[in-house]
Amino acid sequence: MIRTAVFDIGETLIRDDRYWASWAEWLDVSRHTLSALVGAVVAQGHDNAEALRRIRPGIDIAAEYAAREAAGRGEHLDETDLYEDVRPALARLRALGVRVVVAGNQSTRAGVLLRALDLPADHLAMSEDWGCAKPSPEFFAKVREVADALPAETLYVGDHPANDLYPARAAGLRTAHLRRGPLGHLWADDPAVAAADWRVDSLFDVVDLVERS
């Protein structure tokens, strides 16, 4: 039985379009250029921030992030950034008595913005607040703490095999690979994704599998 469902954030709950578009504008390159670079570096096994370093070698990402915030061009999230199935699916899970946790590699600022959206979730956690990020074992140890359920009763849902599925599985959690966003589609048919307990195309599929568990 699945008692807790834990969700990745980027391209699981929210679209990353606005995030990368704002960086493209800040660095004065086309959105297509940055988007293509993000896909390329991630496919090569790098962190997506490597795309920013390819555009501006030597960039101090933390300093640029602060400069964007100071200029009023920092992170922003609103209802339009959510995938359409997020609210109804998470609400349905809670109605079933499932604890809903949101935990991903995000900044403290993103956490503030997400909490302002008042999602139907019991707990929201950002990697910057925890001081550790996926795919580290420390991150998933934190996930196990906030899940408030046995690892075998906890499901982690995400789009990225290396960041989501493998480390969650190593921590003893159940896993669902979400075919959503560029990375979710890139690895959807990769044999390695077969390591996931389930493969889903939407959060409604997550509700269905929880009801059957």
Side-chain angles (χ1 to χ4, degrees):
M1 178 179 292
I2 302 299
R3 298 187 182 277
T4 299
V6 186
F7 294 89
D8 173 39
I9 299 172
E11 292 303 336
T12 295
L13 303 185
I14 63 173
R15 298 177 178 84
D16 284 342
D17 306 53
R18 186 198 302 270
Y19 178 81
W20 291 113
S22 65
W23 270 113
E25 291 167 6
W26 182 257
L27 297 176
D28 195 26
V29 297
S30 73
R31 296 182 181 187
H32 173 70
T33 296
L34 182 53
S35 179
L37 273 173
V38 170
V41 299
V42 171
Q44 292 169 1
H46 302 295
D47 182 84
N48 54 24
E50 179 63 21
L52 304 179
R53 300 185 185 99
R54 299 289 179 94
I55 290 172
R56 186 179 292 176
I59 187 175
D60 183 333
I61 295 176
E64 291 295 326
Y65 184 92
R68 285 183 53 195
E69 289 290 338
R73 296 171 63 183
E75 285 189 83
H76 177 81
L77 287 174
D78 61 33
E79 196 70 21
T80 64
D81 295 299
L82 293 176
Y83 278 101
E84 290 79 3
D85 57 1
V86 172
R87 286 194 182 278
L90 268 56
R92 178 59 181 156
L93 287 170
R94 294 184 80 189
L96 292 170
V98 174
R99 178 171 170 81
V100 174
V101 174
V102 174
N105 283 355
Q106 299 287 339
S107 66
T108 296
R109 172 62 178 162
V112 171
L113 296 170
L114 277 169
R115 292 182 181 95
L117 293 178
D118 194 25
L119 296 176
D122 298 288
H123 188 87
L124 278 76
M126 308 299 116
S127 58
E128 186 174 14
D129 296 330
W130 277 351
C132 55
K134 296 183 297 182
S136 72
E138 292 79 11
F139 180 94
F140 285 93
K142 294 278 191 182
V143 168
R144 288 178 54 166
E145 289 177 13
V146 301
D148 197 25
L150 295 173
E153 299 173 336
T154 303
L155 172 67
Y156 195 89
V157 182
D159 64 312
H160 195 308
N163 276 2
D164 300 324
L165 306 182
Y166 304 156
R169 188 178 181 87
L173 309 181
R174 311 296 295 279
T175 58
H177 179 252
L178 177 61
R179 182 170 176 158
R180 172 175 283 176
L183 306 184
H185 287 283
L186 175 65
W187 282 300
D189 297 320
D190 191 307
V193 173
D197 294 288
W198 294 280
R199 304 185 200 190
V200 296
D201 292 315
S202 78
L203 300 191
F204 294 126
D205 290 344
V206 176
V207 176
D208 290 342
L209 71 85
V210 167
E211 287 183 313
R212 297 193 304 268
S213 69

